[in-house]
Amino acid sequence: MALPVLGAALVWSLWRARRTGAVRWWLPALAATVAMALVPALVIPFKALVDRPGPPGPLAGETGFFPSGHTATAAVAYGAAALLLYPHPGQRQGQRQRRALFAAVTLLNAGVGVGLVRCAYHWPLDVVAGWCLTGALLWTVARLSRADGTATGPEPGESPTAPRPRTGP
C-alpha cells in the first residue's frame, strides 16, 4: 500500500510544482524516487552482512532479518509522500494540516513496526534499525524539497539581511 501512496504523491507533487513555475520543479519528486530506490540497495547488503536469525514464529529458522525492509519501505514511502504534499515548513498556511499529516504518518509507521514484531516477522531491533536507516533518506528528501526553487531567499547580489517585500498573507 505504501508504494501506491508514494506514487500518487509523486504525480500530484510534479503537477503542482510544474504549475507553480518552480525552477527545479522535478527535484523533490526525483529525490523521493531515489530515496525509495535506495531502500533495497541499502537493506539487502545489511541483511546479508548481519545474517540475523528471525524470531520464533512463522519464519523461524530463516536468516536475514536485520534491518527490517518492510519497516524501511513504509517509513520512506509514507514519509516522502508527506514531505511531497507539504514540503515547506516555514509557510503558515496549512500548518495544522501538515502536523496532522505527519502525526498520521508517524502513527502508521509505528503500527507497521508493532505489527511486524507482534506477528513475529521481526525482532524489535530490526524495526528500529529500519527506521534509523530511513532517517538520512528522509532528511535528504526534506532538504531537496526545500531546494526546488520555490523558497524565498535573497536574490543574487542582495544582502541576506535586507528587508524583503511581503509576498503572501
Side-chain angles (χ1 to χ4, degrees), residues 1-9:
M1 191 63 206
L3 294 178
V5 168
L6 178 59

Side-chain angles (χ1 to χ4, degrees), residues 2 23 36 60 84 90 121 123 152:
V23 177
M36 194 69 245
L84 289 171
Y121 288 113
W123 296 103
T152 58

Side-chain angles (χ1 to χ4, degrees), residues 108-136:
L108 182 61
N109 281 309
V112 168
V114 168
L116 288 169
V117 171
R118 187 165 161 82
C119 292
Y121 288 113
H122 282 287
W123 296 103
L125 189 56
D126 301 342
V127 171
V128 171
W131 286 330
C132 290
L133 178 67
T134 61

Side-chain angles (χ1 to χ4, degrees), residues 5-19 25 29 81-87:
V5 168
L6 178 59
L10 285 167
V11 169
W12 186 81
S13 164
L14 285 167
W15 174 77
R16 181 187 63 182
R18 181 75 171 142
R19 205 176 109 222
W25 56 272
L83 289 168
L84 289 171
L85 294 173
Y86 285 101

Side-chain angles (χ1 to χ4, degrees), residues 73-96:
T73 298
V76 169
Y78 293 132
L83 289 168
L84 289 171
L85 294 173
Y86 285 101
H88 303 292
Q91 294 176 346
R92 285 190 173 182
Q93 305 168 328
Q95 282 298 331
R96 187 172 297 173

Side-chain angles (χ1 to χ4, degrees), residues 42-85:
L42 294 171
V43 168
I44 291 171
F46 273 118
K47 284 180 179 282
L49 180 68
V50 176
D51 201 31
R52 180 181 185 165
L59 300 176
E62 301 284 328
T63 59
F65 285 78
F66 181 89
S68 170
H70 292 98
T71 302
T73 298
V76 169
Y78 293 132
L83 289 168
L84 289 171
L85 294 173

